[in-house]
Amino acid sequence: AVNEEELKKRIAEELALERARRDSEAQKRRLFGKLLERERISSNEHLTRAILRERAATEEERQRAQRFARQLEEKDKELKKHDSYYKEQLARLEERSAQFYKVTTEQYQKAADEVSARFK
């Protein structure tokens, strides 16, 4: 009878220990699940912030590129304006030079004719 009583007591203790172990494991799983959830939330927040920073940087880069493109267009217009102005000036100078050459040639020819007429 003592052995049976002792055996029942021992079985009850082992069952209680097994229940305690299972409860402990379940509590550890819940705690681990909560830690994983917190880590997931934290990672998502970091990822969201990184995405927002990247979007802001991309938008800033796009605006900078647009600004540079406008500046480049303005410089190109300015260069074309200068090119046109200098071509016009060059054409005027060439025309004046041609006129000067024509007048000089006519005067030379006239002077040569006069000299030739005098000494004939």
Side-chain angles (χ1 to χ4, degrees):
V2 174
N3 281 341
E4 195 176 312
E5 219 24 65
E6 197 176 300
L7 188 59
K8 285 182 183 179
K9 187 178 176 184
R10 209 172 189 193
I11 290 174
E13 285 175 357
E14 283 190 27
L15 285 173
L17 283 173
E18 182 62 25
R19 264 190 232 113
R21 187 187 64 74
R22 284 184 186 163
D23 288 346
S24 174
E25 287 295 320
Q27 187 177 8
K28 286 178 185 177
R29 280 194 298 275
R30 283 192 300 274
L31 181 60
F32 188 67
K34 286 180 184 178
L35 288 173
L36 283 177
E37 182 63 17
R38 282 189 207 139
E39 188 64 31
R40 186 187 63 76
I41 290 170
S42 176
S43 293
N44 284 344
E45 288 173 356
H46 288 307
L47 183 60
T48 301
R49 281 194 295 261
I51 289 170
L52 290 175
R53 275 194 308 271
E54 190 60 34
R55 282 182 184 164
T58 301
E59 178 61 20
E60 187 177 310
E61 192 65 31
R62 185 187 66 75
Q63 289 176 354
R64 189 177 312 144
Q66 284 180 339
R67 199 168 46 251
F68 286 145
R70 281 193 302 273
Q71 288 174 351
L72 187 60
E73 286 174 10
E74 289 170 11
K75 289 280 187 190
D76 191 45
K77 284 179 187 176
E78 190 177 325
L79 286 172
K80 285 179 180 177
K81 193 167 103 178
H82 285 292
D83 187 50
S84 175
Y85 172 78
Y86 288 120
K87 282 181 180 177
E88 187 179 305
Q89 293 299 315
L90 181 62
R92 283 185 189 161
L93 285 172
E94 286 175 344
E95 186 180 331
R96 284 184 191 162
S97 177
Q99 288 173 354
F100 181 74
Y101 178 77
K102 182 180 174 185
V103 168
T104 304
T105 304
E106 287 172 357
Q107 287 177 350
Y108 175 81
Q109 194 60 43
K110 186 178 176 184
D113 289 347
E114 285 177 11
V115 168
S116 180
R118 270 191 198 168
F119 292 107
K120 267 191 173 180

PDB file of all heavy atoms in Angstrom, residues 60-76:
ATOM      1  N   GLU A  60      14.958  64.910 -54.501  1.00  0.00           N
ATOM      2  CA  GLU A  60      15.936  66.003 -54.473  1.00  0.00           C
ATOM      3  C   GLU A  60      16.871  65.905 -55.676  1.00  0.00           C
ATOM      4  O   GLU A  60      17.171  66.903 -56.338  1.00  0.00           O
ATOM      5  CB  GLU A  60      16.726  65.932 -53.170  1.00  0.00           C
ATOM      6  CG  GLU A  60      17.662  67.102 -52.947  1.00  0.00           C
ATOM      7  CD  GLU A  60      18.356  66.993 -51.601  1.00  0.00           C
ATOM      8  OE1 GLU A  60      17.668  66.786 -50.589  1.00  0.00           O
ATOM      9  OE2 GLU A  60      19.601  67.118 -51.575  1.00  0.00           O
ATOM     10  N   GLU A  61      17.314  64.689 -55.978  1.00  0.00           N
ATOM     11  CA  GLU A  61      18.206  64.468 -57.122  1.00  0.00           C
ATOM     12  C   GLU A  61      17.497  64.813 -58.431  1.00  0.00           C
ATOM     13  O   GLU A  61      18.081  65.407 -59.329  1.00  0.00           O
ATOM     14  CB  GLU A  61      18.669  63.008 -57.136  1.00  0.00           C
ATOM     15  CG  GLU A  61      19.799  62.727 -58.083  1.00  0.00           C
ATOM     16  CD  GLU A  61      21.090  63.419 -57.720  1.00  0.00           C
ATOM     17  OE1 GLU A  61      21.344  63.635 -56.522  1.00  0.00           O
ATOM     18  OE2 GLU A  61      21.844  63.761 -58.638  1.00  0.00           O
ATOM     19  N   ARG A  62      16.209  64.447 -58.533  1.00  0.00           N
ATOM     20  CA  ARG A  62      15.428  64.752 -59.740  1.00  0.00           C
ATOM     21  C   ARG A  62      15.287  66.269 -59.908  1.00  0.00           C
ATOM     22  O   ARG A  62      15.471  66.800 -61.005  1.00  0.00           O
ATOM     23  CB  ARG A  62      14.036  64.105 -59.630  1.00  0.00           C
ATOM     24  CG  ARG A  62      13.181  64.258 -60.884  1.00  0.00           C
ATOM     25  CD  ARG A  62      11.767  63.746 -60.665  1.00  0.00           C
ATOM     26  NE  ARG A  62      11.019  64.518 -59.701  1.00  0.00           N
ATOM     27  CZ  ARG A  62      10.495  65.732 -59.941  1.00  0.00           C
ATOM     28  NH1 ARG A  62      10.643  66.290 -61.112  1.00  0.00           N
ATOM     29  NH2 ARG A  62       9.829  66.367 -59.010  1.00  0.00           N
ATOM     30  N   GLN A  63      15.009  66.964 -58.808  1.00  0.00           N
ATOM     31  CA  GLN A  63      14.890  68.423 -58.880  1.00  0.00           C
ATOM     32  C   GLN A  63      16.224  69.059 -59.254  1.00  0.00           C
ATOM     33  O   GLN A  63      16.270  70.008 -60.036  1.00  0.00           O
ATOM     34  CB  GLN A  63      14.382  68.979 -57.545  1.00  0.00           C
ATOM     35  CG  GLN A  63      12.932  68.656 -57.285  1.00  0.00           C
ATOM     36  CD  GLN A  63      12.470  69.123 -55.919  1.00  0.00           C
ATOM     37  OE1 GLN A  63      13.255  69.598 -55.103  1.00  0.00           O
ATOM     38  NE2 GLN A  63      11.183  68.979 -55.651  1.00  0.00           N
ATOM     39  N   ARG A  64      17.305  68.534 -58.696  1.00  0.00           N
ATOM     40  CA  ARG A  64      18.633  69.058 -59.016  1.00  0.00           C
ATOM     41  C   ARG A  64      18.942  68.851 -60.507  1.00  0.00           C
ATOM     42  O   ARG A  64      19.462  69.736 -61.178  1.00  0.00           O
ATOM     43  CB  ARG A  64      19.695  68.369 -58.158  1.00  0.00           C
ATOM     44  CG  ARG A  64      21.065  69.017 -58.287  1.00  0.00           C
ATOM     45  CD  ARG A  64      22.113  68.392 -57.392  1.00  0.00           C
ATOM     46  NE  ARG A  64      21.635  68.234 -56.036  1.00  0.00           N
ATOM     47  CZ  ARG A  64      21.942  67.207 -55.256  1.00  0.00           C
ATOM     48  NH1 ARG A  64      22.724  66.249 -55.680  1.00  0.00           N
ATOM     49  NH2 ARG A  64      21.472  67.130 -54.027  1.00  0.00           N
ATOM     50  N   ALA A  65      18.586  67.667 -61.014  1.00  0.00           N
ATOM     51  CA  ALA A  65      18.807  67.375 -62.435  1.00  0.00           C
ATOM     52  C   ALA A  65      17.984  68.314 -63.314  1.00  0.00           C
ATOM     53  O   ALA A  65      18.483  68.810 -64.336  1.00  0.00           O
ATOM     54  CB  ALA A  65      18.447  65.921 -62.738  1.00  0.00           C
ATOM     55  N   GLN A  66      16.747  68.590 -62.918  1.00  0.00           N
ATOM     56  CA  GLN A  66      15.916  69.530 -63.678  1.00  0.00           C
ATOM     57  C   GLN A  66      16.520  70.929 -63.658  1.00  0.00           C
ATOM     58  O   GLN A  66      16.529  71.626 -64.671  1.00  0.00           O
ATOM     59  CB  GLN A  66      14.498  69.579 -63.104  1.00  0.00           C
ATOM     60  CG  GLN A  66      13.655  68.382 -63.455  1.00  0.00           C
ATOM     61  CD  GLN A  66      12.263  68.486 -62.858  1.00  0.00           C
ATOM     62  OE1 GLN A  66      12.031  69.219 -61.899  1.00  0.00           O
ATOM     63  NE2 GLN A  66      11.331  67.724 -63.419  1.00  0.00           N
ATOM     64  N   ARG A  67      17.020  71.321 -62.478  1.00  0.00           N
ATOM     65  CA  ARG A  67      17.647  72.647 -62.348  1.00  0.00           C
ATOM     66  C   ARG A  67      18.871  72.743 -63.258  1.00  0.00           C
ATOM     67  O   ARG A  67      19.041  73.727 -63.988  1.00  0.00           O
ATOM     68  CB  ARG A  67      18.018  72.876 -60.878  1.00  0.00           C
ATOM     69  CG  ARG A  67      18.245  74.298 -60.514  1.00  0.00           C
ATOM     70  CD  ARG A  67      18.319  74.546 -58.997  1.00  0.00           C
ATOM     71  NE  ARG A  67      19.141  73.623 -58.260  1.00  0.00           N
ATOM     72  CZ  ARG A  67      18.676  72.690 -57.424  1.00  0.00           C
ATOM     73  NH1 ARG A  67      17.393  72.547 -57.221  1.00  0.00           N
ATOM     74  NH2 ARG A  67      19.503  71.888 -56.780  1.00  0.00           N
ATOM     75  N   PHE A  68      19.693  71.700 -63.264  1.00  0.00           N
ATOM     76  CA  PHE A  68      20.879  71.697 -64.127  1.00  0.00           C
ATOM     77  C   PHE A  68      20.483  71.704 -65.595  1.00  0.00           C
ATOM     78  O   PHE A  68      21.128  72.357 -66.413  1.00  0.00           O
ATOM     79  CB  PHE A  68      21.776  70.503 -63.825  1.00  0.00           C
ATOM     80  CG  PHE A  68      22.551  70.616 -62.539  1.00  0.00           C
ATOM     81  CD1 PHE A  68      22.806  69.489 -61.772  1.00  0.00           C
ATOM     82  CD2 PHE A  68      23.017  71.843 -62.090  1.00  0.00           C
ATOM     83  CE1 PHE A  68      23.518  69.587 -60.581  1.00  0.00           C
ATOM     84  CE2 PHE A  68      23.731  71.943 -60.907  1.00  0.00           C
ATOM     85  CZ  PHE A  68      23.970  70.824 -60.149  1.00  0.00           C
ATOM     86  N   ALA A  69      19.411  70.970 -65.932  1.00  0.00           N
ATOM     87  CA  ALA A  69      18.954  70.938 -67.319  1.00  0.00           C
ATOM     88  C   ALA A  69      18.497  72.332 -67.756  1.00  0.00           C
ATOM     89  O   ALA A  69      18.810  72.773 -68.868  1.00  0.00           O
ATOM     90  CB  ALA A  69      17.818  69.931 -67.474  1.00  0.00           C
ATOM     91  N   ARG A  70      17.764  73.037 -66.878  1.00  0.00           N
ATOM     92  CA  ARG A  70      17.334  74.411 -67.211  1.00  0.00           C
ATOM     93  C   ARG A  70      18.542  75.330 -67.375  1.00  0.00           C
ATOM     94  O   ARG A  70      18.594  76.141 -68.304  1.00  0.00           O
ATOM     95  CB  ARG A  70      16.408  74.957 -66.115  1.00  0.00           C
ATOM     96  CG  ARG A  70      14.986  74.453 -66.215  1.00  0.00           C
ATOM     97  CD  ARG A  70      14.040  75.238 -65.330  1.00  0.00           C
ATOM     98  NE  ARG A  70      14.396  75.240 -63.932  1.00  0.00           N
ATOM     99  CZ  ARG A  70      14.035  74.322 -63.045  1.00  0.00           C
ATOM    100  NH1 ARG A  70      13.276  73.315 -63.416  1.00  0.00           N
ATOM    101  NH2 ARG A  70      14.402  74.406 -61.785  1.00  0.00           N
ATOM    102  N   GLN A  71      19.509  75.191 -66.474  1.00  0.00           N
ATOM    103  CA  GLN A  71      20.708  76.027 -66.580  1.00  0.00           C
ATOM    104  C   GLN A  71      21.445  75.742 -67.886  1.00  0.00           C
ATOM    105  O   GLN A  71      21.924  76.659 -68.550  1.00  0.00           O
ATOM    106  CB  GLN A  71      21.637  75.771 -65.389  1.00  0.00           C
ATOM    107  CG  GLN A  71      21.127  76.333 -64.085  1.00  0.00           C
ATOM    108  CD  GLN A  71      21.998  75.938 -62.897  1.00  0.00           C
ATOM    109  OE1 GLN A  71      22.895  75.101 -63.015  1.00  0.00           O
ATOM    110  NE2 GLN A  71      21.731  76.531 -61.747  1.00  0.00           N
ATOM    111  N   LEU A  72      21.511  74.468 -68.241  1.00  0.00           N
ATOM    112  CA  LEU A  72      22.187  74.074 -69.478  1.00  0.00           C
ATOM    113  C   LEU A  72      21.451  74.647 -70.688  1.00  0.00           C
ATOM    114  O   LEU A  72      22.088  75.157 -71.622  1.00  0.00           O
ATOM    115  CB  LEU A  72      22.259  72.550 -69.566  1.00  0.00           C
ATOM    116  CG  LEU A  72      23.077  71.971 -70.708  1.00  0.00           C
ATOM    117  CD1 LEU A  72      24.528  72.437 -70.624  1.00  0.00           C
ATOM    118  CD2 LEU A  72      23.016  70.456 -70.686  1.00  0.00           C
ATOM    119  N   GLU A  73      20.127  74.600 -70.670  1.00  0.00           N
ATOM    120  CA  GLU A  73      19.343  75.176 -71.765  1.00  0.00           C
ATOM    121  C   GLU A  73      19.579  76.680 -71.871  1.00  0.00           C
ATOM    122  O   GLU A  73      19.717  77.214 -72.975  1.00  0.00           O
ATOM    123  CB  GLU A  73      17.851  74.900 -71.551  1.00  0.00           C
ATOM    124  CG  GLU A  73      17.444  73.471 -71.812  1.00  0.00           C
ATOM    125  CD  GLU A  73      15.989  73.198 -71.451  1.00  0.00           C
ATOM    126  OE1 GLU A  73      15.240  74.162 -71.169  1.00  0.00           O
ATOM    127  OE2 GLU A  73      15.607  72.012 -71.471  1.00  0.00           O
ATOM    128  N   GLU A  74      19.623  77.365 -70.714  1.00  0.00           N
ATOM    129  CA  GLU A  74      19.870  78.804 -70.716  1.00  0.00           C
ATOM    130  C   GLU A  74      21.255  79.116 -71.283  1.00  0.00           C
ATOM    131  O   GLU A  74      21.408  80.039 -72.085  1.00  0.00           O
ATOM    132  CB  GLU A  74      19.736  79.371 -69.296  1.00  0.00           C
ATOM    133  CG  GLU A  74      18.307  79.391 -68.793  1.00  0.00           C
ATOM    134  CD  GLU A  74      18.205  79.727 -67.315  1.00  0.00           C
ATOM    135  OE1 GLU A  74      19.221  80.154 -66.712  1.00  0.00           O
ATOM    136  OE2 GLU A  74      17.108  79.560 -66.755  1.00  0.00           O
ATOM    137  N   LYS A  75      22.255  78.337 -70.870  1.00  0.00           N
ATOM    138  CA  LYS A  75      23.617  78.534 -71.390  1.00  0.00           C
ATOM    139  C   LYS A  75      23.644  78.296 -72.892  1.00  0.00           C
ATOM    140  O   LYS A  75      24.297  79.035 -73.634  1.00  0.00           O
ATOM    141  CB  LYS A  75      24.610  77.586 -70.708  1.00  0.00           C
ATOM    142  CG  LYS A  75      24.913  77.918 -69.287  1.00  0.00           C
ATOM    143  CD  LYS A  75      25.909  79.034 -69.209  1.00  0.00           C
ATOM    144  CE  LYS A  75      26.322  79.236 -67.763  1.00  0.00           C
ATOM    145  NZ  LYS A  75      27.088  80.429 -67.581  1.00  0.00           N
ATOM    146  N   ASP A  76      22.924  77.241 -73.338  1.00  0.00           N
ATOM    147  CA  ASP A  76      22.883  76.927 -74.759  1.00  0.00           C
ATOM    148  C   ASP A  76      22.246  78.073 -75.538  1.00  0.00           C
ATOM    149  O   ASP A  76      22.763  78.472 -76.586  1.00  0.00           O
ATOM    150  CB  ASP A  76      22.095  75.621 -74.976  1.00  0.00           C
ATOM    151  CG  ASP A  76      22.233  75.098 -76.386  1.00  0.00           C
ATOM    152  OD1 ASP A  76      23.378  75.080 -76.902  1.00  0.00           O
ATOM    153  OD2 ASP A  76      21.212  74.718 -76.978  1.00  0.00           O
TER     154      ASP A  76
END
